[in-house]
Amino acid sequence: MIPGGTENNMEKTLFVSDLDGTLLSSDSRLSSASADMLNNAIDNGALFTVATARTPSTVALLMSDVRASLPFIVMTGSALWSPLTGDFFDTITISRESAERIFDIIKRHSLPAFIYCLGKNRIDIYHTGPLSVNEKKFMADRDDSDYKVFHVPGDGNSVIPHPLSDVSLFYSMQPTALVESAYHDIKEHVDCNPIFYHDMFGAETGILEVFSPLASKANAVRRLKEMTGATRVVAFGDNLNDLPMLRVADVAVAVENAVDEVKAAADIIIPPNTTDSVARFILDSTLSNPLSLTPQA
């Protein structure tokens, strides 16, 4: 049994929150008020974790003020990562054959992309194609961590390992039309889990994430529910890549700033991420044993 909660007479609830646009405020930081409320909830027995597309290098920093003991779901479910030991476990990678086919499609579409390879306790990141301004900033914001290493020269064209093995993620942030075209090609021809969406860069920039067909926030939530012995999952999200997780949750909660598809799938809609609403919901639920979690009509 993984630590992180106490047994009592009520249902044992696992709270799982997305980070960006959900738990984090508009500046992509965890507010001190949210951290205090989460710590209060954890101290009172709440089972709490996060499920994010981010890697441990940024998650560890963002969640450093929270006394979390449960593993974090990172890289959209490609791995669980312990904030207590700093280790990856329960990792899921793309098969070597599929990774080579995805790489060939990306090259054929001239789509610059990052390639994430999972090691024992760090991620090695490579890149193909020229670096955009957004990609340079993306690396600069993340290139100071014990948990990941960028092997990317100035022109963006890394020496790609051959054969490609232990690949957990292909990630691209490029003009929407280019990304969408490659996405459909990959989805049609490779057995994998591709995700196409827009994020903080706006509608002009498309985001492509490609994982193993077994990697998803939903599958990771199922595994963590079993590990913790939870009897119920309450999940929080705002964007399309949260939908699988929300659909397997017993109670799906959307923040008010969520995209329409997420709000339509939610059982409960709470105030926007800028109001510490997720942390407040978790604390109130924990202290009231529990807060009314009956889905709204």
Side-chain angles (χ1 to χ4, degrees), residues 89-167:
F89 63 99
D90 206 23
T91 58
I92 299 173
T93 56
I94 301 170
S95 72
R96 184 177 297 177
E97 179 183 359
S98 293
E100 295 285 359
R101 293 178 68 186
I102 294 165
F103 182 71
D104 287 343
I105 292 172
I106 285 173
K107 293 285 285 184
R108 187 165 66 248
H109 284 263
S110 299
L111 178 69
F114 291 99
I115 304 168
Y116 288 61
C117 298
L118 274 179
K120 181 178 179 181
N121 55 12
R122 81 174 196 187
I123 305 167
D124 291 297
I125 304 175
Y126 306 89
H127 187 270
T128 180
L131 288 166
S132 69
V133 173
N134 283 339
E135 287 175 320
K136 289 177 181 178
K137 184 177 187 306
F138 178 86
M139 286 199 305
D141 291 344
R142 293 162 173 80
D143 198 16
D144 183 22
S145 170
D146 294 333
Y147 304 119
K148 72 166 68 168
V149 176
F150 284 94
H151 304 276
V152 184
D155 67 357
N157 286 293
S158 302
V159 175
I160 305 298
H162 183 77
L164 276 174
S165 59
D166 300 318
V167 176

Side-chain angles (χ1 to χ4, degrees), residues 13 20 22 50 56 96 138 160 170 198 201 221 246-247 272-273:
T13 301
D20 294 277
T22 305
V50 299
R96 184 177 297 177
F138 178 86
I160 305 298
F170 288 86
H198 296 98
F201 302 108
V221 166
L246 295 178
R247 287 170 180 149
N273 64 312

Side-chain angles (χ1 to χ4, degrees), residues 18 22 51 217 236-247:
D18 171 55
T22 305
K217 288 184 180 182
F236 305 81
D238 76 305
N239 214 330
L240 297 179
N241 61 345
D242 297 318
L243 282 173
M245 172 177 72
L246 295 178
R247 287 170 180 149

Side-chain angles (χ1 to χ4, degrees), residues 172-219:
S172 181
M173 55 174 91
Q174 294 293 325
T176 292
L178 179 60
V179 172
E180 189 170 11
S181 176
Y183 161 76
H184 287 297
D185 199 352
I186 292 169
K187 185 175 182 179
E188 181 178 354
H189 295 104
V190 186
D191 181 22
C192 61
N193 176 20
I195 303 171
F196 167 70
Y197 63 101
H198 296 98
D199 208 341
M200 65 186 73
F201 302 108
E204 297 80 13
T205 300
I207 306 295
L208 173 66
E209 298 174 351
V210 188
F211 302 94
S212 160
L214 300 177
S216 71
K217 288 184 180 182
N219 286 339

